[in-house]
Amino acid sequence: MKRLLFVLLVLAGISVFAGAFISFDSFLGVGVSQRLIIEGEEKQIDAFTNYGVQFNFDYGLHRGLRFGAIVSSQNFSMRFENDSLNFALFCLGFEGMFVMDFLDLVLQVSGEGHWVLGSISCEDGIPSQANYAGNLFSGKVMFEKFLSENLSVAVGGGLKYILLKNATLSMDLTGFVPYAVLRIGYSF
């Protein structure tokens, strides 16, 4: 009982100093190490890009630990062995972030996990329903500058790990994508 009371008091104390944060990220990444297997045969990837947007809803301390939810659209384009594949994933995820002062900026170090909720594929310019499932995990470092008391802009980069499957195409895709991020944020 004492432990539960202690945890509740700590959470109540943190909530006094906590705030809500929303942000909009746009990102662009280029694959450096992927493994693509279609119908049991490994394919050589010639070009791989990942781009998209995500919305973050965080709650926590202005300087310290924050947790939140993510809604994202992840777009992928790859070329392999005289063929190409373009698809978009709609994801829901979580984020843990630590925020601290760094010179005149604010340093944000975060980790994310995304689950694929839906997907769309595009072949010959015609969008169609796709059957992608899997997860994406990433870590990133951002440098934030406040433009006003509540509005901020941040730039940074990170590394994303992709773990996707498509049952219709008998496809497995894994790999790492370094990416750059531009963020616009607002704190309440």
Side-chain angles (χ1 to χ4, degrees):
M1 184 65 179
K2 289 181 182 180
R3 289 183 186 179
L4 178 62
L5 185 59
F6 176 74
V7 169
L8 290 175
L9 286 174
V10 168
L11 290 176
I14 289 174
S15 67
V16 170
F17 301 107
F21 307 88
I22 60 171
S23 59
F24 169 79
D25 294 359
S26 61
F27 56 88
L28 173 63
V30 178
V32 293
S33 174
Q34 291 80 35
R35 185 172 183 211
L36 175 64
I37 299 173
I38 298 179
E39 296 177 353
E41 182 182 336
E42 187 166 351
K43 304 287 185 179
Q44 177 66 37
I45 296 177
D46 300 321
F48 186 93
T49 57
N50 170 226
Y51 55 94
V53 296
Q54 76 180 34
F55 295 97
N56 305 315
F57 307 96
D58 297 324
Y59 182 78
L61 301 173
H62 282 273
R63 301 295 183 269
L65 197 57
R66 297 181 193 168
F67 293 101
I70 298 171
V71 177
S72 68
S73 170
Q74 307 266 344
N75 302 293
F76 294 89
S77 181
M78 68 177 128
R79 190 178 66 231
F80 59 94
E81 298 180 5
N82 298 324
D83 202 359
S84 66
L85 185 61
N86 302 300
F87 58 95
L89 305 176
F90 303 103
C91 304
L92 185 64
F94 65 92
E95 175 180 43
M97 178 187 306
F98 187 77
V99 181
M100 64 186 145
D101 288 324
F102 181 76
L103 301 174
D104 290 339
L105 303 172
V106 176
L107 177 66
Q108 300 176 348
V109 180
S110 65
E112 302 172 355
H114 301 256
W115 290 276
V116 177
L117 297 178
S119 56
I120 295 175
S121 184
C122 184
E123 294 182 27
D124 299 325
I126 301 171
S128 63
Q129 187 69 25
N131 189 21
Y132 287 93
N135 302 42
L136 295 95
F137 303 98
S138 67
K140 63 184 170 191
V141 175
M142 305 283 291
F143 296 95
E144 182 179 38
K145 179 71 174 171
F146 279 88
L147 303 176
S148 69
E149 187 175 324
N150 297 358
L151 185 65
S152 65
V153 174
V155 295
L159 184 66
K160 187 178 300 181
Y161 178 70
I162 301 164
L163 182 61
L164 296 173
K165 293 183 180 295
N166 186 324
T168 306
L169 299 176
S170 299
M171 182 188 97
D172 291 331
L173 175 63
T174 58
F176 291 95
V177 178
Y179 63 98
V181 185
L182 174 63
R183 169 179 285 177
I184 297 172
Y186 189 82
S187 61
F188 295 96

